[in-house]
């Protein structure tokens, strides 16, 4: 693997999921692979799970880890040809090349603006690192995708399914703030690669990009969509068509225990209790959110392992 910026960078998904589950059973088996190799993690945005699980994954492989909150560094310019006489002190061209001298792998977290759709869809931060860095790049959640989360979700469903083809429902839920579409996008793309029966449910106005949903069924009736589900993945996202807007805060879309039925509950975390999902779901045996978060380590570890093997 050269980079992991999108799900399609995984050449053999079923083997990768199997390898991640093996790593979970024996996390230190490849301690020599990362010896004298350094992962530099760059955060343009907050994180709990991604930061700690990716560091843990790198250390399990024997790597050194360095972390930088970009707000602590010089303000970066991403446009070409700018006269840099305002607030930007350093261009991505120099920054990415310099960081590459300190790193064997660079991981980047950079959320969307949710204001400029074209700019967000161009993935200008991630793609500029890809363009100017001289080492592999890992996406730790970008403007439009969260492929490490999606791989952890795929591992979790593979481990927990009792059926050859489980019914998986991705349900929108209300949230007071405008959130990115990245988690939903990558979850859908990942489920389209797995042997699952995927349905999406959301209020009208929350349609995701057709390039992502493709032919996946979309049902605007949440209760109907949730019938006979084996896994219910709940996530808020802001409007894609009316870009970045919060159109609906109808708390009838919050997931309740009654609506969950016998399904397992999934969420990438962090989650707002009694807004996205009620306490009774999160505190029940049906919630697998802690297992999902644990699998973030092995998703990151299998990706780092494949990248290190290709260096
Ligand atoms: N799920 C996830 O990416 O969590 P963090 O934002 O805490 O990293």
């Amino acid at each position: 693997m050269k980079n992991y910026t999108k799900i399609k960078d995984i050449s053999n998904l079923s083997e990768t999921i199997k390898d991640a589950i093996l790593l979970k059973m024996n996390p230190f088996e490849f301690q020599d692979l990362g010896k004298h190799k350094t992962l530099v993690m760059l955060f343009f945005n907050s994180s709990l799970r991604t930061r700690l699980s990716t560091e843990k994954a790198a250390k399990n492989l024997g790597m050194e880890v360095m972390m930088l909150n970009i707000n602590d560094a010089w303000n970066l310019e991403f446009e070409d040809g700018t006269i840099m006489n305002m607030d930007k002190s350093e261009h991505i061209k120099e920054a990415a090349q310099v960081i590459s001298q300190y790193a064997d792998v660079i991981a980047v977290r950079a959320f969307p603006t949710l204001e400029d759709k074209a700019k967000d869809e161009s993935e200008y931060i991630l793609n500029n690192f890809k363009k100017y860095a001289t080492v592999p790049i890992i996406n730790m959640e970008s403007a439009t995708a969260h492929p490490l989360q999606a791989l952890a979700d795929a591992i979790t469903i593979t481990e927990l399914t009792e059926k050859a083809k489980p019914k998986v429902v991705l349900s929108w839920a209300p949230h007071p703030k405008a959130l990115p579409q990245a988690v939903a996008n990558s979850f859908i793309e990942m489920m389209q690669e797995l042997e699952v029966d995927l349905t999406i449910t959301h209020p009208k106005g929350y349609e995701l990009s057709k390039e992502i949903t493709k032919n996946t069924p979309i049902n605007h009736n949440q209760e109907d969509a949730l019938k006979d589900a084996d896994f219910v993945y709940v996530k808020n996202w802001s409007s894609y068509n009316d870009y970045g807007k919060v159109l609906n805060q109808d708390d009838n879309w919050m997931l309740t225990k009654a609506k969950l039925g016998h399904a397992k509950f999934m969420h990438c975390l962090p989650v707002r209790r009694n807004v996205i999902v009620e306490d009774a779901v999160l505190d029940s045996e049906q919630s697998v959110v802690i297992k999902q978060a644990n699998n973030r380590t092995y998703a990151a570890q299998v990706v780092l392992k494949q990248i290190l093997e290709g260096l």
Side-chain angles (χ1 to χ4, degrees):
M1 187 186 277
K2 174 75 180 113
N3 299 290
Y4 186 56
T5 58
K6 54 188 187 307
I7 287 162
K8 296 277 184 219
D9 289 330
I10 300 174
S11 57
N12 187 330
L13 180 59
S14 58
E15 281 303 313
T16 298
I17 292 171
K18 270 190 220 155
D19 283 353
I21 294 169
L22 288 174
L23 284 172
K24 190 172 176 178
M25 291 192 272
N26 196 359
F28 306 117
E29 189 182 351
F30 299 97
Q31 268 273 315
D32 289 340
L33 193 59
K35 198 173 171 189
H36 304 316
K37 298 277 190 288
T38 301
L39 171 69
V40 171
M41 300 167 75
L42 305 175
F43 287 90
F44 288 77
N45 308 94
S46 307
S47 169
L48 186 155
R49 278 142 291 273
T50 305
R51 183 179 291 244
L52 296 178
S53 64
T54 309
E55 178 171 358
K56 183 173 164 73
K59 287 180 172 171
N60 284 352
L61 292 167
M63 297 183 84
E64 299 293 327
V65 179
M66 295 196 289
M67 241 178 254
L68 180 68
N69 291 327
I70 287 289
N71 282 343
D72 296 337
W74 302 109
N75 215 356
L76 286 178
E77 175 61 62
F78 287 89
E79 299 294 332
D80 270 339
T82 318
I83 298 169
M84 289 171 56
N85 60 357
M86 299 294 281
D87 59 330
K88 309 282 175 64
S89 308
E90 176 151 26
H91 201 280
I92 182 66
K93 285 186 189 179
E94 284 77 47
Q97 290 180 75
V98 168
I99 296 165
S100 298
Q101 297 180 116
Y102 312 144
D104 297 279
V105 182
I106 297 173
V108 180
R109 165 164 282 204
F111 289 174
T113 62
L114 289 181
E115 284 167 9
D116 188 334
K117 190 175 188 174
K119 199 171 172 187
D120 290 345
E121 297 225 302
S122 75
E123 290 283 11
Y124 71 102
I125 295 180
L126 191 71
N127 283 335
N128 270 300
F129 272 103
K130 232 172 130 175
K131 186 171 172 185
Y132 296 116
T134 55
V135 299
I137 299 293
I138 294 178
N139 179 349
M140 295 195 295
E141 190 171 346
S142 64
T144 67
H146 197 354
L148 281 176
Q149 180 66 52
L151 182 53
D153 299 336
I155 296 165
T156 308
I157 290 175
T158 303
E159 284 180 320
L160 298 177
T161 187
E162 290 162 7
K163 291 183 183 167
K165 191 171 182 180
K167 178 174 174 181
V168 177
V169 180
L170 171 65
S171 178
W172 181 92
H175 195 282
K177 289 174 69 179
L179 297 189
Q181 295 94 21
V183 169
N185 286 346
S186 291
F187 183 73
I188 292 166
E189 288 190 312
M190 182 58 86
M191 290 305 109
Q192 288 166 344
E193 298 288 323
L194 293 189
E195 270 299 302
V196 303
D197 170 13
L198 176 66
T199 294
I200 303 166
T201 181
H202 59 69
K204 285 187 180 156
Y206 280 94
E207 290 72 20
L208 292 159
S209 164
K210 260 313 250 182
E211 280 180 38
I212 300 284
T213 55
K214 299 191 174 82
N215 294 325
T216 301
I218 298 168
N219 187 341
H220 296 300
N221 182 327
Q222 189 194 38
E223 228 172 289
D224 190 42
L226 292 175
K227 261 183 215 144
D228 302 322
D230 297 297
F231 294 90
V232 177
Y233 198 106
V234 178
K235 185 72 187 82
N236 171 270
W237 59 89
S238 56
S239 175
Y240 176 72
N241 291 327
D242 196 353
Y243 192 62
K245 297 282 184 308
V246 176
L247 306 177
N248 184 334
Q249 294 204 45
D250 182 357
D251 60 14
N252 286 314
W253 278 82
M254 179 178 79
L255 191 79
T256 62
K257 194 90 190 305
K259 284 196 247 176
L260 182 64
H262 297 292
K264 292 187 166 47
F265 170 75
M266 299 181 75
H267 190 283
C268 60
L269 303 180
V271 69
R272 289 183 184 232
R273 283 176 171 254
N274 305 308
V275 175
I276 294 273
V277 55
E278 69 175 3
D279 283 340
V281 172
L282 276 169
D283 295 334
S284 77
E285 292 291 315
Q286 287 166 259
S287 172
V288 299
V289 296
I290 306 302
K291 291 185 170 115
Q292 264 177 280
N294 188 34
N295 281 334
R296 289 294 308 272
T297 299
Y298 307 101
Q301 195 167 333
V302 77
V303 164
L304 281 168
K305 177 174 172 285
Q306 289 185 15
I307 288 174
L308 289 170
E309 285 166 345
L311 288 181

